[in-house]
Amino acid sequence: MIKYIEKITVPCYDTDASWLLKPASFMNLAQEAAGRHAVYLGFGYDDLIVSNTAWILSRVHVEFIDTPKWREDITLTTWHKGLNRLFFLRDFVLTDAQGKERVKATTSWLVLNLETRRLVRDPKLIEEGTVCTENAIETPADKVQMPKEVEPEFVMEHKVAYSDIDTNGHANNAMYMHWAMDAVDYDIASTRPVKEFTINFNHETKAGEVVKLYKAVVEKEDGRHVFVEGRLAEASSFIVEIVFKRLPVL
């Protein structure tokens, strides 16, 4: 099974006030599908933890072609693309009941030794015959930086708590998108669909730590670009660029 396929009906708790699938909800769906597929291929959580290593999500780029809505029947397909320089790449495509592409994504992963905190770059981790070179998005997720022409403004701070923490003992990757969307003006986040986003995970956060969220907004032809960075002391915990679609002119 080079590709993993999962059928889903979009639940209400994964949608927003416009009934649209939330960006963080897509990340949760993708994370779970990736984990199940990795287990099937022989390099899942249980396989890696034997050597005290684990998959760490580093970068994500998601494009929403036509965001699924509450109660829609959708199909999520994922596959592993192998090692590319520092990163192991995995892509995703979400289609509707008619087979139309609604969301596509590419992700970049690292393998970390949990004791030494050093990266493990072993191409033999991925067995021959388990890689699919097909691209959902051809270019791997890029590095995100705050725009130089805009001074970021402090929005709020978030204390990492019980609901943020995953099985590795730090904030789950989808929670960073929750924090980022909360940092966006509500009238924008609740009325303008997300066109795409790219997020970089730079430093893990743990329970009790306080992440300060900063925001910068840049208007471009393709929509409103909102940059949100979470800072832990002086270090960048994560940074995301979210592109919101323009509303039609009436």
Side-chain angles (χ1 to χ4, degrees), residues 88-216:
F88 292 92
L89 304 182
R90 175 176 284 277
D91 281 10
F92 301 82
V93 171
L94 195 155
T95 56
D96 59 22
Q98 289 71 44
K100 177 184 176 184
E101 287 189 1
R102 304 288 292 275
V103 184
K104 55 184 181 179
T106 187
T107 57
S108 303
W109 300 72
L110 300 167
V111 177
L112 184 71
N113 184 297
L114 298 177
E115 182 177 354
T116 66
R117 314 307 291 177
R118 293 181 180 274
L119 298 181
V120 178
R121 301 185 183 95
D122 184 4
K124 295 180 181 179
L125 178 67
I126 307 301
E127 294 184 8
E128 187 176 352
T130 64
V131 172
C132 175
T133 57
E134 181 180 334
N135 293 315
I137 297 176
E138 186 172 351
T139 305
D142 205 354
K143 184 177 181 180
V144 180
Q145 294 179 311
M146 277 288 185
K148 295 180 180 180
E149 68 271 24
V150 179
E151 182 67 27
E153 62 173 299
F154 172 74
V155 180
M156 61 183 184
E157 59 183 34
H158 176 84
K159 185 175 182 179
V160 183
Y162 170 82
S163 60
D164 300 311
I165 302 302
D166 63 13
T167 54
N168 289 321
H170 54 66
N172 181 268
N173 67 77
M175 298 310 300
Y176 294 90
M177 272 308 299
H178 273 303
W179 308 343
M181 291 296 290
D182 286 345
V184 177
D185 294 338
Y186 182 76
D187 60 338
I188 297 297
S190 62
T191 61
R192 296 195 188 187
V194 173
K195 180 180 180 181
E196 62 182 294
F197 70 84
T198 304
I199 184 168
N200 295 174
F201 301 99
N202 301 321
H203 194 283
E204 65 184 10
T205 58
K206 299 179 180 180
E209 294 180 328
V210 176
V211 179
K212 294 184 177 181
L213 300 174
Y214 293 82
K215 177 182 70 176

Side-chain angles (χ1 to χ4, degrees), residues 9-82:
T9 300
V10 179
C12 63
Y13 53 78
D14 276 337
T15 60
D16 61 16
S18 299
W19 294 13
L20 297 175
L21 182 71
K22 294 177 181 177
S25 296
F26 174 79
M27 291 184 66
N28 273 327
L29 293 174
Q31 175 181 229
E32 185 65 14
R36 291 178 181 174
H37 191 212
V39 167
Y40 179 87
L41 295 177
F43 44 80
Y45 175 86
D46 293 336
D47 301 289
L48 268 64
I49 202 64
V50 172
S51 57
N52 206 26
T53 57
W55 289 107
I56 302 296
L57 185 58
S58 180
R59 296 179 182 180
V60 178
H61 179 208
V62 181
E63 297 180 4
F64 293 90
I65 303 165
D66 183 11
T67 309
K69 295 184 177 182
W70 176 38
R71 295 176 175 168
E72 275 199 76
D73 293 324
I74 54 177
T75 299
L76 180 61
T77 304
T78 183
W79 59 96
H80 204 287
K81 299 201 298 185

